[in-house]
Amino acid sequence: FQEAAKGALEHKFYKEAAEANFFIGIYHLYGIDKKRSENALKQSLELFTKINHIKGQSRVYTALGILESNRGNVTEAQRLLYK
């Protein structure tokens, strides 16, 4: 039972950390610090992947695709948006 409770708490922690990084990334995506946005989004993606949170991963790929599109990297933007 303790292992299950520990796993549930760990999952919740990773999900909350991923969400926080996602919103930091979105904030900076529409601001001036694109590198900080990219770093926060990649950290978010890593955490969402770790807990197999598909919807979270999808949101991050979309945001990364927008970031690449804003940079003029159309091919990379399309790859991320259709992932």
Side-chain angles (χ1 to χ4, degrees), residues 45 48-50 52-62:
L45 180 60
F48 278 133
T49 301
K50 186 172 191 159
N52 198 33
H53 192 286
I54 304 301
K55 185 176 181 180
Q57 291 174 48
S58 176
R59 290 176 21 210
V60 174
Y61 281 123
T62 299

Side-chain angles (χ1 to χ4, degrees), residues 26-44:
I26 292 299
Y27 172 78
H28 289 291
L29 176 64
Y30 294 104
I32 58 171
D33 197 344
K34 303 299 186 217
K35 189 62 180 169
R36 188 166 181 189
S37 173
E38 181 179 21
N39 290 339
L41 289 168
K42 286 182 177 180
Q43 288 174 355
S44 180

